[in-house]
């Protein structure tokens, strides 16, 4: 039967609750000091380098990594708590989040020792920002269609081609990217891709901004022209990146950031309806809270699987599928219910401003980190349908 | 199937597999499977799982009992196992010994009230009482002027108007007219909401189990059925539908087992348990609707026939939405709780476990 799809009801251990208090206190101080406004998700938070450093100083970056690389050797569950508290508070995490979630673990697994010693402690201190170079023009969700070439040359590779939809490339210090080192084989179209560590802000890389429908700027096109990457920046197996890239994506799919991106509109709705809601508002809020609670329990459960050393690829895909569809629908459900909010609600303007932004954010949520269609394909594979 | 080291669940699954094979039951027009199944379950002590040894039960843990209900849902058995377990549990709250035989609980809806008169008789009407027709005794929660009492009532003293729920199981209206209970005791610190939450979680586990089976038989069917010269499992649209069914099934199971775990480990029915239990009932009911629709879609017309077993799961899952408070009821109540605690307390509540 469907034994693979159990989400055991794990509870966060006591030390997570202590940590949660510390994170909340820290964020309250930052808000009081004016670092960010939790009611304004629609800001450019790329330029919060000092906040990154303060988070690093708290020991909340690279939390699960070995101490010799600057990590804390703490659990996935502790990291989970930090992530969800940051997200719920709308903290400016963009500068460090990708490195903490994804790039660091890739380096830990595949980079040579001297590179680990150089880069990982700087991630942990919140000093550097990473981007992920996967999509290309005309490849998108089809990772294996990537064409950007890495041609072997003396002491390294020359890169030519274009990556696209690359979040934060304009502020990133490094990018972990996949490039084509040889053509796909007939037997395996996934063959021929290699993962590289790319040092940004060097000649041969041009970063072109792409505006988003939210009015923000986060995406980029990144053009490589005879860009040199040294041999020791190859990550893992030459021509074998497809295995690495897919396991990397599992980190990206089940975390609290995959259902909390528009959460703020729900809080703001609860504030607007006040302590004695009408029946329609109460029912709407109750359903949304039940759905949120269930997804979070599933997501915590997957964090527990990761902590136990499992590779919950299908489970992570299910959490992301349900989670991103939910966070996409949330602004629209809140909008329905906001029609019944009294004109006199003190936060009415804030709610409307947030809804405007969340509705514009929503279309991307089921695309980033793997489209819904790709995820459902992975789940179908897990069910033995393909 | 859950790879269970839980002896209660293992015992139950063996009995279900031997005596409650859905195909056999489906083809049995005389319901001749019911008596041997109930006898086997009773001999194994399963209906009184939640009753301590000294009150006539087998004293299994709450956790084991919840796992048993999930297994019962996977077989969608039409015997009052969950109802007798709940009744035994309710009686045990007031230290009342459970009798042998089938039982059910009342009220089974948050809107109904049974009252306790000054002379110790109980009166009132309870609608949608599952398996009332089959029960020999009722465990009754009654409101008196000094608070809540729990009573064991002989079913022969009640008036029962029979009805069927959407899943073709008995869902009856029970009227008690100044009935003297067999036993009645005050239940300090207990209230009707606790009973509804407990019943709701029981139903959530059954719904989750039914969805697990619906996923299982739908996947199997899609790998057998050929249309347009291909197995239908090879069509991307069918794959995506089944992926969504897997998601609904997983969400229902996660919500239900989390709520069961919360009740099994909590000292009281506090706000966190309320969030867990109400959420489970809401989310599982939503999953029953969405998941059941997909299972039928995958099966095409064959799943709409009485000859096929799909309805045993899909209709029951839909019916179970209504017992112990529908999802609409709990959504309103949970929404009120959240609003009353205030916006800044929402996240701390959700993140409390």
């Amino acid at each position: 039967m469907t034994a693979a799809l159990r989400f055991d009801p794990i509870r966060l251990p006591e030390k997570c609750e202590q940590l949660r208090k510390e994170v909340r206190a820290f964020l309250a101080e930052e808000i009081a000091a004016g670092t960010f406004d939790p009611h304004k998700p629609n800001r450019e938070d790329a330029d919060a380098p000092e906040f990154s450093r303060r988070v690093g100083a708290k020991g909340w970056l690279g939390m699960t990594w070995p101490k010799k690389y600057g990590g804390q050797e703490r659990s996935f569950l502790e990291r989970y708590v930090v992530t969800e508290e940051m997200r719920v508070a709308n903290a400016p995490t963009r500068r460090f989040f990708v490195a903490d979630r994804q790039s660091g673990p890739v380096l830990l697994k595949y980079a040579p020792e001297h590179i680990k010693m150089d880069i990982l402690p700087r991630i942990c201190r919140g000093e550097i920002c990473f981007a992920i170079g996967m999509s290309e023009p005309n490849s998108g969700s089809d990772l294996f269609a990537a064409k950007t070439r890495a041609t072997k040359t003396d002491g390294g590779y020359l890169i030519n081609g274009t990556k696209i939809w690359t979040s934060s490339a304009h502020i990133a210090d490094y990018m972990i990217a996949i490039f084509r080192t040889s053509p796909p084989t007939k037997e395996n179209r996934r063959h021929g891709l290699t993962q590289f560590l790319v040092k940004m802000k060097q000649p041969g890389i041009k970063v072109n901004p792409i505006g988003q429908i939210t009015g923000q700027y986060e995406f980029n096109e990144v053009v490589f022209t005879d860009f040199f990457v040294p041999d020791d920046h190859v990550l893992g197996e030459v021509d074998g990146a497809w295995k690495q890239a897919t396991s990397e994506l599992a980190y990206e799919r089940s975390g609290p950031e995959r259902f909390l991106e528009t959460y703020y509109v729900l809080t703001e709705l609860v504030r607007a309806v006040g302590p004695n809601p009408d029946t329609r508002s109460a029912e709407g809020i109750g359903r949304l809270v039940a759905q949120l609670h269930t997804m979070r329990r599933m997501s915590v459960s997957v964090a527990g699987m990761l902590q136990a050393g499992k590779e919950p690829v299908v489970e992570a895909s299910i959490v992301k599928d349900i989670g991103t569809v939910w966070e996409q629908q949330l602004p629209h459900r809140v909008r329905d219910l906001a029609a019944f909010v009294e004109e006199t609600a003190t936060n009415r303007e804030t709610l409307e401003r947030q809804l405007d932004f969340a509705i514009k954010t929503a279309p991307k949520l089921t695309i980033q980190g793997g489209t819904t269609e790709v995820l459902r394909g992975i789940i179908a594979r897990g069910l033995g349908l393909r | 199937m859950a790879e269970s080291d839980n002896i209660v669940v293992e015992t139950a699954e063996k009995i279900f597999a031997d005596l409650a094979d859905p195909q056999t039951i489906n083809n049995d027009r005389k319901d001749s499977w019911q008596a041997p199944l109930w006898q086997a379950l009773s001999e194994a002590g399963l209906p009184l799982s939640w009753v301590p040894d000294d009150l006539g039960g087998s004293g299994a843990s709450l956790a084991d009992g919840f796992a048993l209900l999930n297994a019962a849902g996977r077989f969608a058995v039409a015997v009052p196992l969950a109802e007798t377990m709940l009744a035994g549990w309710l009686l045990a709250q007031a230290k009342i010994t459970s009798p042998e035989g089938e039982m059910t609980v009342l009220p089974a809806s948050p809107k109904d009230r049974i009252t306790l008169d000054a002379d110790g008789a109980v009166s009132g009407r309870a609608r949608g009482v599952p398996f009332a027709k089959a029960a020999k005794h009722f465990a009754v929660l009654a409101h008196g002027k000094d608070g809540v009492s729990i009573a064991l009532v002989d079913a022969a003293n009640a008036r029962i108007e029979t009805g069927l729920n959407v899943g073709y199981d008995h869902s009856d209206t029970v009227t008690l007219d100044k009935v003297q209970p067999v036993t009645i005791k005050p239940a300090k610190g207990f209230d009707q909401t606790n009973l509804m939450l407990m019943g709701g979680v029981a139903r959530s586990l059954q719904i989750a189990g039914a969805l697990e089976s619906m996923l299982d038989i739908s996947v199997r069917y899609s790998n057998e059925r050929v249309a347009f010269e291909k197995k239908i499992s090879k069509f991307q649209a069918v794959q995506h539908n089944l992926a969504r069914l897997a998601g609904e099934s997983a969400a229902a199971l996660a919500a239900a087992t989390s709520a069961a775990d919360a009740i099994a480990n909590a000292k009281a029915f506090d706000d966190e348990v309320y969030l867990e239990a109400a959420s489970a009932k809401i989310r599982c009911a939503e999953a029953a609707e969405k998941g059941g629709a997909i299972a039928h879609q995958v099966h095409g017309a064959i799943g709409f026939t009485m000859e096929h077993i799909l309805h045993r799961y899909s209709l029951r899952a839909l019916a179970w939405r209504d017992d112990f408070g529908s999802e609409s009821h709990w959504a309103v109540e949970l929404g009120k709780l959240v609003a009353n605690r205030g916006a800044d307390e929402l996240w701390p509540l959700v993140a409390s476990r």
Side-chain angles (χ1 to χ4, degrees), chain A residues 201-247:
Chain A
K201 297 171 186 165
Q202 294 198 87
I205 299 184
K206 194 163 182 295
V207 177
N208 301 315
I210 304 172
Q212 297 175 184
I213 61 173
T214 53
Q216 281 180 308
Y217 163 37
E218 182 189 352
F219 284 163
N220 300 277
E221 177 193 61
V222 184
V223 183
F224 297 90
T225 312
D226 284 337
F227 178 79
F228 180 75
V229 180
D231 280 330
D232 64 357
H233 282 43
V234 171
L235 299 174
E237 199 184 320
V238 173
D239 291 343
W242 58 277
K243 274 182 269 175
Q244 294 160 221
T246 40
S247 74

Side-chain angles (χ1 to χ4, degrees), chain A residues 183-192 239 242:
Chain A
T185 60
K186 260 207 175 115
E187 300 73 42
N188 186 3
R189 68 180 288 264
R190 302 164 169 198
H191 174 84
D239 291 343
W242 58 277

Side-chain angles (χ1 to χ4, degrees), chain B residues 190-226:
Chain B
F190 196 83
D191 72 26
Q192 188 164 326
T193 302
N194 300 356
L195 172 60
M196 294 302 138
L197 291 171
M198 185 74 178
V201 172
R203 283 296 189 252
S204 298
L205 287 156
Q206 290 176 283
I207 290 172
L211 278 163
E212 287 174 81
S213 291
M214 282 191 260
L215 173 62
D216 209 43
I217 62 177
S218 300
V219 166
R220 208 182 317 142
Y221 181 76
S222 76
N223 277 324
E224 290 165 359
R225 166 77 177 154
V226 171

